[in-house]
């Protein structure tokens, strides 16, 4: 009986791992920035520049922000946009603390692979969680 129970539990655990969702998707930056929640979260006085865009004097070394959020009951896009907004808010708060006026050269850095784009960002999508990682510089 014990052996059967252990085999059953092992098979169940294996099956859940096999069907676990672990995708990296690309979504439009404009979609996240135009999300209605962006007005509540982002500070329009701190500009955000994606890809190789943005000029100015860098006042920090390369920074990163990693944000995750619960995806249960949400579309992948809705959850990813929320994680994106949380990461951008982190950069903007750091810019304020450092006396910066913008964040430049923002790029996705998911699973330690850089994805540079001024149009799209990468989001890791799982069964219950989504996450984004960005890198960039605070500048004046």
């Amino acid at each position: 009986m014990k052996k059967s129970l252990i085999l059953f539990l092992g098979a169940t655990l294996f099956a859940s791992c096999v069907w676990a969702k672990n995708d990296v998707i690309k979504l439009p930056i404009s979609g996240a920035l135009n999300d209605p929640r962006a007005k509540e979260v982002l500070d329009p006085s701190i500009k955000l520049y994606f890809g190789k865009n943005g000029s100015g004097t860098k006042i920090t070394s390369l920074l990163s922000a990693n944000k995750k959020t619960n995806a249960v009951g949400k579309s992948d896009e809705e959850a990813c946009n929320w994680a994106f907004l949380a990461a951008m808010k982190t950069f903007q708060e750091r810019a304020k603390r450092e006396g910066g006026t913008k964040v430049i050269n923002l790029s996705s850095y998911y699973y330690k692979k850089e994805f540079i784009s001024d149009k799209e960002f990468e989001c890791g999508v799982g069964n219950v969680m989504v996450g984004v990682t960005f890198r960039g510089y605070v500048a004046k």
Side-chain angles (χ1 to χ4, degrees), residues 12-140:
T12 303
L13 179 62
F14 176 75
S16 67
C17 291
V18 169
W19 290 313
K21 185 175 175 184
N22 187 22
D23 300 325
V24 177
I25 62 173
K26 291 179 174 64
L27 292 168
I29 292 168
S30 61
L33 292 175
N34 292 322
D35 186 300
R37 300 171 293 181
K39 289 181 179 159
E40 301 166 18
V41 174
L42 299 180
D43 181 346
S45 71
I46 306 291
K47 301 295 182 199
L48 302 167
Y49 296 93
F50 296 88
K52 297 188 185 270
N53 295 320
S55 60
T57 303
K58 294 176 185 173
I59 59 175
T60 64
S61 57
L62 186 62
L63 302 172
S64 65
N66 178 300
K67 296 296 178 180
K68 298 192 181 340
T69 192
N70 183 330
V72 176
K74 300 174 191 143
S75 69
D76 291 348
E77 184 175 7
E78 180 184 6
C80 288
N81 283 351
W82 183 249
F84 171 95
L85 292 172
M88 294 307 111
K89 181 178 179 179
T90 298
F91 278 111
Q92 287 183 327
E93 289 172 347
R94 179 67 183 265
K96 287 181 198 175
R97 284 196 310 272
E98 299 288 339
T101 58
K102 56 187 139 185
V103 184
I104 63 173
N105 303 120
L106 284 160
S107 62
S108 292
Y109 192 66
Y110 208 73
Y111 289 125
K112 297 186 180 183
K113 292 181 183 172
E114 189 169 37
F115 173 69
I116 300 171
S117 174
D118 61 352
K119 304 257 185 276
E120 295 180 308
F121 70 97
E122 288 186 329
C123 181
V125 179
N127 287 334
V128 295
M129 298 293 289
V130 303
V132 298
T133 303
F134 282 92
R135 298 194 314 176
Y137 299 90
V138 171
K140 282 188 175 187

